[in-house]
């Protein structure tokens, strides 16, 4: 797996050397905290704290889309895919490295965003209210949920990136995927706010995402073909 991590490191350096991409990722991570600060003059509201917490968990996950979109399509546009495929690296190492390069930073950013949000909320609204709105079990559930969302976004967009000719096309597909998640998680927030649905959703949604991740990764494995990738490049 050393070669896979070498591929991942190369991808992460390329991604975060783009200042615009880095700033967008940090903006998504900090937006829920900013919204919390803007609303601090209002009446303490457990519902608002919970809604922003879900956003803190899920918005940074969107940063995986740009990295995943460029995983193969970006290489094609830069004409670096053929040299990569010609190198003595297994297909598994290439795919695993590119997957890790998109998923690991996005997951880390989501977890940092959740922690920073929780600390900020406790300072602004007091530990008692925040402990009621965001118990430890819910924070843990949001961390797992963000991880599974990152895996889903990365796997689906990487499949698209391997099949389309340009990074822009892969990003557009990623945009549709994010829109679908936004609609789905709008319902999730509504369900979490209903106390009788909270525990069920915290179990059912991650399990559903896990199934989707397995399907997407198996699809990526079946669709990936080195010779076809060279021909498409």
């Amino acid at each position: 797996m050393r070669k896979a991590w070498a591929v991942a490191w190369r991808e992460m350096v390329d991604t975060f050397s783009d200042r615009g991409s880095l700033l967008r990722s940090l903006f998504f991570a900090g937006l829920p905290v900013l919204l919390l600060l803007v609303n601090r003059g209002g009446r303490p509201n457990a519902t608002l704290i919970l809604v922003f917490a879900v956003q803190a968990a899920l918005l940074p996950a969107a940063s995986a889309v740009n990295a995943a979109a460029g995983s193969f399509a970006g290489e094609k546009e830069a004409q670096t895919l053929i040299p990569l495929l010609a190198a003595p690296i297994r297909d598994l190492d290439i795919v695993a490295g590119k997957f890790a390069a998109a998923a690991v930073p996005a997951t880390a950013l989501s977890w940092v965003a959740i922690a920073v949000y929780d600390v900020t909320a406790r300072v602004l609204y007091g530990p008692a209210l925040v402990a009621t709105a965001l118990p430890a079990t819910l924070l843990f559930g949001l961390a797992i949920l963000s991880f599974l969302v990152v895996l889903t976004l990365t796997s689906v967009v990487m499949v698209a990136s391997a099949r389309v000719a340009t990074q822009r096309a892969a990003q557009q597909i990623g945009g549709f995927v994010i829109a679908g998640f936004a609609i789905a998680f709008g319902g999730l927030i509504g369900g979490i706010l209903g106390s009788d649905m909270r525990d069920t959703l915290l179990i059912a949604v991650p399990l559903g995402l896990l199934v989707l991740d397995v399907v997407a990764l198996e699809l990526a494995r079946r669709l990936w073909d080195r010779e076809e990738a060279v021909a498409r490049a």
Side-chain angles (χ1 to χ4, degrees):
M1 294 300 289
R2 185 167 54 185
K3 291 183 178 179
W5 281 113
V7 172
W9 179 255
R10 166 181 172 269
E11 291 284 317
M12 286 189 283
V13 169
D14 288 344
T15 299
F16 290 107
S17 62
D18 179 2
R19 185 175 300 177
S21 177
L22 179 60
L23 290 176
R24 283 193 299 271
S25 298
L26 293 176
F27 173 76
F28 282 129
L31 182 59
V33 173
L34 179 62
L35 293 174
L36 198 65
L37 292 171
V38 170
N39 286 275
R40 66 178 175 176
R43 184 177 180 181
N45 190 320
T47 299
L48 201 63
I49 292 173
L50 179 56
V51 169
F52 290 159
V54 175
Q55 292 178 350
L58 300 182
L59 285 178
S63 64
V65 169
N66 186 57
S71 58
F72 292 108
E75 297 263 18
K76 296 173 191 177
E77 290 185 296
Q79 298 183 343
T80 56
L81 183 59
I82 292 179
L84 176 63
L85 296 177
I89 305 176
R90 296 180 304 167
D91 289 351
L92 177 61
D93 289 330
I94 293 175
V95 175
K98 287 180 173 293
F99 187 89
V104 171
T107 300
L109 191 61
S110 291
W111 289 354
V112 169
I114 293 171
V116 171
Y117 176 86
D118 183 56
V119 171
T120 305
R122 289 174 186 273
V123 170
L124 293 179
Y125 293 106
L129 177 61
V130 176
T132 301
L134 297 175
T137 53
L138 182 55
L139 284 174
F140 180 75
L142 289 176
I144 297 300
L145 182 63
S146 67
F147 171 66
L148 293 174
V149 168
V150 168
L151 293 188
T152 303
L153 289 174
T154 302
S155 54
V156 171
V157 178
M158 274 189 64
V159 170
S161 182
R163 307 300 292 183
V164 300
T166 66
Q167 183 173 350
R168 182 178 181 82
Q171 288 172 333
Q172 289 173 340
I173 294 173
F176 286 115
V177 175
I178 290 175
F181 271 102
I183 294 172
F185 284 112
L188 170 65
I189 294 174
I192 287 178
L193 294 178
S195 59
D196 57 329
M197 292 289 292
R198 175 181 296 184
D199 294 338
T200 301
L201 284 170
L202 285 177
I203 296 173
V205 173
L207 284 177
L209 283 174
L210 184 60
V211 171
L212 181 59
D213 290 340
V214 172
V215 172
L217 289 172
E218 176 63 16
L219 181 62
R221 186 188 69 81
R222 289 178 178 273
L223 290 177
W224 170 254
D225 181 81
R226 180 181 288 251
E227 287 73 20
E228 182 181 353
V230 172
R232 287 175 176 269

